[in-house]
Amino acid sequence: MSEFSGTIPPRRPLTLRDVSEAANVSEMTVSRVLRNRGDVSEGTRNRVLKVARELGYVPNKIAGALASSRVNLIAVIIPSMSNMVFPEVMTGISDVLDHTELQPVVGVTNYKPEREEAVLYQMLSWRPSGVIIAGLEHTEASKAMLAASGIPIVEIMDTDGDPIDSAVGISHRKAGKRIAQEIITAGYKRIGFLGSKMPLDHRARKRFEGFTEALAKAGLEIADSEFYSGGSALQKGREMTEAILNRNAHNPLDFLYYSNDMIGAGGLLYCQEKGIKVPHELGLAGFNGIEFLDGLSQRLATMDACRNEIGRKAAELILERIDENKPSESKTITLDPTLQIGDTLKRKKLGQT
Amino acid sequence: MSEFSGTIPPRRPLTLRDVSEAANVSEMTVSRVLRNRGDVSEGTRNRVLKVARELGYVPNKIAGALASSRVNLIAVIIPSMSNMVFPEVMTGISDVLDHTELQPVVGVTNYKPEREEAVLYQMLSWRPSGVIIAGLEHTEASKAMLAASGIPIVEIMDTDGDPIDSAVGISHRKAGKRIAQEIITAGYKRIGFLGSKMPLDHRARKRFEGFTEALAKAGLEIADSEFYSGGSALQKGREMTEAILNRNAHNPLDFLYYSNDMIGAGGLLYCQEKGIKVPHELGLAGFNGIEFLDGLSQRLATMDACRNEIGRKAAELILERIDENKPSESKTITLDPTLQIGDTLKRKKLGQT
DNA sequence: ATGAAAGCGCTAACAT
DNA sequence: ATGTTAGCGCTTTCAT
């Protein structure tokens, strides 16, 4: 210990008072300058600004928020970050919020309802101005918290169900149906399904349900399926494709529907290497429209889930509900995902004529 | 307007007082129960808990933080989220913080220094308990804010430079050198470089510098280079590879070094399609060790940037500095990225013997 | 255009 | 084991 220890005052964060003393004005005036509110003479204003900058003052939002009971935070609760889909939703949200005073704060649930409940509780305890949360399925407690919060809630991604307040998304059930119809129309008959073992990914489940339903209407059913969990999705796509094709070698499949584009891309790469003729011998389709599909030599058939758009619209809904004082109603916005046929779902009707 | 309008009380968030009245104890006791602090009899405890749950009380952290001057937030400031590298860093951070009371709050800068400054200011105004920030390069104002904040700061990803406080990362300069040496040893001579137009991506720049430096020492230099910005990285990798190879057809390149794995993977796919023999005719290497490389039929040579580890260590450093009261010193932890030779950097020395 | 007083909803510190 | 008092650093409201 140096003999001078103790002479250096412990660094205490600066307060409004420090600035007000240095600038020789009341705290109130400093506050007004820093928030650009009320009348302050040009001279005082400049003096305060100068002093604040020199001192390196950073306002304490905690105190500000408590005093004004205004917290310019939007809680965003999503299942996963590494998923490629949510970063895009986040971009949409940020694009809109960047023009405002609001800023998004993200919580991740890893697809676990109890984790979602905990994260939600944490976020609500900061008294945000609004909540954007993925999905329509939540624990009873979560729903109660959301409903009781008294702030705008927007549930995103999915519109197959009843929102607590507002919702923006696509119908995954319809998306599944749509792609199934396309596959049927193209003349494929022996269809395999490859997806992830995620009982709690309700959106994947709904797509699957819509898919099988549409097949059933055409008198078809899924010939075989394969599920994975964890690991490199591209690699898993490869492995699962190999497995399901081999297993059905005696009576070959002619189409594979993947629950996401990453495993679909793995399957496509596998087929290309093995010389399997896509789409004539075997058709493929995924879901999500992830950007990197552009880099493959054949474009995988997929459906764009409107992720950026969902983010934007969700943020806009929140803004509407906050800004305006009119009793803005809750609404559900259902977007229409675009089907991209690509190069892997093109076979002409065979044996139908 | 309904004739009953005004009869529904505007939903005011519940306060401790509401709970204390309903449970017939002092606010202080409720506070103690909810935070598991101090002695509270089992009976009172249960009663309070029950009432709080029934009422749906969610504590106001804003007020709590102000009163206790403790904000259990760690600010995490990163350049990008869609990058694949930062989600992994985030996972490392969360893995460690999940066992504590602290929670990460993320801010994204898009590689813009002025944006970083703004984000930092915003975050600091919430008085977080610590800051984890990517890179060692910041504006003067940002550095000043960080230094003046009086909280633990950990700069991550990079250790080629002087940290404000602590740092965890790898030496990108050394990483560039290392891969260059490997390429030289393998006997490649005409080396192309493909990267992104990001003057502000200091880590990519440092890798490039280390790379060219090591080449220079061996009497070599970069034969040609190609840069991209925006778009699908996989696709860009393809296009740039085609462009650079064609441009040098008269005197062919025998190695391509990519500044990231995504464009590298695009290049690899291109080569495979064109029947270019990798690694004998043309060697390839990327940087980052992204998971999906596992799904390609040849493993791209790369270096793992220790992203998860960096996140973990950064969070641990912050915890050390907060938890302990000892004057824990700032330290710099330099991790050692592992080189993965893969299948694209293997040519035996030729013409050297 | 500026200031003074009160209090936002909690918790620290000190009773009891 | 429980209660009381005094703030935390701002903003609101009302004076001047």
Side-chain angles (χ1 to χ4, degrees):
Chain A
M1 275 295 198
S2 136
E3 55 177 322
F4 298 113
S5 77
T7 60
I8 300 160
R11 218 192 311 266
R12 173 186 58 77
L14 296 169
T15 67
L16 258 192
R17 165 165 236 97
D18 296 311
V19 180
S20 87
E21 280 168 2
N24 219 359
V25 284
S26 72
E27 293 183 36
M28 207 44 237
T29 301
V30 178
S31 171
R32 281 196 264 254
V33 170
L34 265 24
R35 288 178 301 142
N36 286 311
R37 231 163 276 232
D39 292 320
V40 182
S41 72
E42 196 59 21
T44 331
R45 196 186 135 72
N46 291 143
R47 184 155 38 94
V48 169
L49 247 23
K50 184 156 167 285
V51 169
R53 208 174 301 120
E54 281 170 2
L55 259 38
Y57 172 69
V58 178
N60 185 330
K61 277 203 184 160
I62 300 281
L66 181 61
S68 64
S69 45
R70 250 194 299 276
V71 183
N72 291 329
L73 255 28
I74 302 295
V76 180
I77 300 178
I78 57 181
S80 157
M81 206 69 218
S82 46
N83 195 307
M84 209 139 246
V85 3
F86 293 104
E88 266 195 67
V89 176
M90 284 309 305
T91 305
I93 294 175
S94 299
D95 287 349
V96 173
L97 294 188
D98 278 356
H99 305 308
T100 73
E101 302 215 280
L102 297 168
Q103 47 174 300
V105 185
V106 185
V108 174
T109 68
N110 296 318
Y111 288 99
K112 298 191 194 114
E114 68 281 6
R115 177 96 192 125
E116 178 182 88
E117 196 175 306
V119 168
L120 183 58
Y121 186 82
Q122 295 297 323
M123 306 231 99
L124 286 182
S125 71
W126 288 102
R127 298 286 187 270
S129 301
V131 176
I132 295 176
I133 185 167
L136 294 165
E137 284 77 17
H138 316 286
T139 67
E140 284 307 314
S142 293
K143 285 189 206 168
M145 275 192 269
L146 287 168
S149 69
I151 55 177
I153 311 293
V154 180
E155 287 164 283
I156 56 169
M157 310 313 288
D158 186 7
T159 56
D160 292 327
D162 298 315
I164 294 166
D165 179 1
S166 291
V168 192
I170 65 169
S171 164
H172 286 262
R173 212 175 292 275
K174 212 169 127 193
K177 275 187 197 162
R178 183 106 161 275
I179 196 104
Q181 285 158 355
E182 208 66 35
I183 293 167
I184 295 163
T185 307
Y188 295 101
K189 298 282 189 215
R190 289 204 26 95
I191 299 162
F193 176 83
L194 324 219
S196 65
K197 276 196 203 76
M198 294 232 66
L200 295 171
D201 184 342
H202 298 282
R203 292 173 292 285
R205 194 201 74 222
K206 288 170 185 176
R207 286 198 299 278
F208 183 68
E209 288 169 2
F211 188 76
T212 52
E213 211 176 284
L215 288 190
K217 265 196 194 134
L220 289 173
E221 56 183 30
I222 297 223
D224 196 2
S225 54
E226 184 80 22
F227 297 88
Y228 79 105
S229 57
S232 157
L234 200 68
Q235 169 75 337
K236 290 291 177 184
R238 226 173 233 287
E239 294 168 3
M240 290 196 295
T241 302
E242 176 160 38
I244 202 171
L245 290 180
N246 287 343
R247 194 162 57 228
N248 292 275
H250 58 289
N251 185 7
L253 300 175
D254 64 3
F255 200 92
L256 299 178
Y257 177 45
Y258 296 85
S259 73
N260 70 63
D261 280 347
M262 202 49 123
I263 55 175
L268 177 55
L269 287 174
Y270 173 82
C271 292
Q272 291 177 341
E273 271 162 41
K274 292 292 173 187
I276 296 169
K277 294 207 173 50
V278 175
H280 298 292
E281 188 178 340
L282 181 72
L284 304 174
F287 179 82
N288 248 337
I290 55 178
E291 176 192 70
F292 97 41
L293 291 184
D294 294 341
L296 301 177
S297 62
Q298 286 184 291
R299 279 165 308 137
L300 183 70
T302 192
M303 271 177 103
D304 179 8
C306 314
R307 300 174 303 276
N308 188 284
E309 179 78 358
I310 287 175
R312 302 188 73 93
K313 283 257 184 289
E316 281 162 11
L317 274 187
I318 295 270
L319 287 178
E320 264 179 42
R321 310 280 250 104
I322 292 175
D323 286 355
E324 320 186 26
N325 273 349
K326 66 175 174 187
S328 53
E329 339 114 50
S330 2
K331 40 182 151 178
T332 294
I333 301 180
T334 303
L335 300 175
D336 204 23
T338 52
L339 178 66
Q340 297 159 228
I341 287 296
D343 305 314
T344 67
L345 166 38
K346 275 186 173 166
R347 178 157 76 167
K348 291 283 157 55
K349 291 189 195 190
L350 298 173
Q352 288 276 78
T353 33
Chain B
M1 274 297 201
S2 137
E3 54 178 323
F4 298 113
S5 77
T7 60
I8 301 160
R11 219 193 310 268
R12 173 187 57 80
L14 296 169
T15 68
L16 258 193
R17 164 166 235 98
D18 296 312
V19 180
S20 86
E21 279 168 3
N24 219 359
V25 285
S26 72
E27 292 183 37
M28 206 47 233
T29 301
V30 177
S31 170
R32 282 196 264 255
V33 170
L34 265 24
R35 288 178 300 144
N36 287 311
R37 265 314 119 115
D39 292 318
V40 182
S41 72
E42 197 58 20
T44 332
R45 198 186 133 72
N46 291 143
R47 185 156 36 95
V48 169
L49 247 23
K50 182 156 168 286
V51 169
R53 207 173 303 119
E54 281 171 2
L55 258 38
Y57 172 69
V58 177
N60 185 332
K61 276 204 184 155
I62 300 280
L66 182 61
S68 64
S69 43
R70 251 195 298 277
V71 183
N72 291 329
L73 254 29
I74 302 295
V76 181
I77 300 178
I78 58 182
S80 157
M81 207 70 217
S82 47
N83 195 307
M84 209 139 247
V85 4
F86 293 105
E88 266 195 66
V89 175
M90 285 309 305
T91 305
I93 294 175
S94 299
D95 288 349
V96 173
L97 295 188
D98 278 355
H99 304 308
T100 73
E101 303 215 278
L102 297 168
Q103 49 173 301
V105 185
V106 185
V108 174
T109 69
N110 296 318
Y111 288 98
K112 298 192 195 113
E114 67 282 5
R115 176 98 192 124
E116 178 183 87
E117 196 176 306
V119 169
L120 182 58
Y121 186 82
Q122 295 297 323
M123 306 231 96
L124 286 181
S125 71
W126 289 104
R127 299 286 187 269
S129 300
V131 176
I132 295 177
I133 185 168
L136 294 165
E137 285 77 17
H138 316 286
T139 66
E140 284 308 313
S142 294
K143 284 189 207 169
M145 275 191 268
L146 287 169
S149 70
I151 56 176
I153 310 293
V154 180
E155 287 164 283
I156 57 171
M157 310 314 287
D158 186 7
T159 57
D160 293 328
D162 298 315
I164 293 165
D165 179 0
S166 291
V168 192
I170 64 170
S171 165
H172 286 262
R173 212 176 291 275
K174 213 168 125 192
K177 276 187 197 163
R178 182 107 161 275
I179 195 103
Q181 284 157 356
E182 208 65 36
I183 292 167
I184 295 164
T185 308
Y188 295 101
K189 299 283 189 211
R190 289 202 28 93
I191 299 162
F193 176 83
L194 323 220
S196 66
K197 275 196 205 80
M198 294 233 64
L200 295 171
D201 184 342
H202 298 282
R203 288 168 303 276
R205 195 201 72 224
K206 288 171 184 176
R207 287 199 298 279
F208 183 69
E209 289 169 3
F211 187 76
T212 51
E213 211 177 286
L215 288 189
K217 265 195 192 134
L220 290 174
E221 56 182 31
I222 297 221
D224 196 1
S225 54
E226 185 79 22
F227 298 88
Y228 79 105
S229 58
S232 157
L234 200 69
Q235 171 74 338
K236 290 289 177 184
R238 228 171 232 287
E239 294 168 3
M240 290 197 295
T241 302
E242 175 160 39
I244 202 171
L245 290 179
N246 286 344
R247 194 163 56 229
N248 292 275
H250 57 288
N251 185 7
L253 300 176
D254 63 3
F255 200 92
L256 299 178
Y257 176 45
Y258 296 84
S259 73
N260 70 64
D261 279 346
M262 203 46 125
I263 55 175
L268 177 55
L269 287 175
Y270 173 82
C271 290
Q272 291 177 341
E273 270 162 42
K274 292 292 171 185
I276 297 169
K277 293 208 174 50
V278 175
H280 298 292
E281 188 178 338
L282 181 70
L284 304 175
F287 180 81
N288 248 336
I290 55 178
E291 175 193 70
F292 98 39
L293 290 185
D294 296 341
L296 302 177
S297 62
Q298 286 185 292
R299 278 166 308 136
L300 183 68
T302 191
M303 270 177 102
D304 179 8
C306 312
R307 299 175 303 276
N308 188 284
E309 178 79 358
I310 287 176
R312 303 189 73 94
K313 283 257 184 290
E316 281 162 11
L317 274 187
I318 295 270
L319 287 179
E320 265 180 41
R321 311 280 250 103
I322 292 175
D323 286 354
E324 320 185 26
N325 273 347
K326 66 175 175 188
S328 53
E329 339 116 49
S330 1
K331 43 182 150 179
T332 295
I333 301 180
T334 304
L335 300 174
D336 205 23
T338 52
L339 178 66
Q340 297 159 228
I341 286 296
D343 305 315
T344 66
L345 167 38
K346 275 188 171 165
R347 178 157 78 168
K348 290 284 155 54
K349 290 188 194 192
L350 298 173
Q352 287 276 77
T353 31

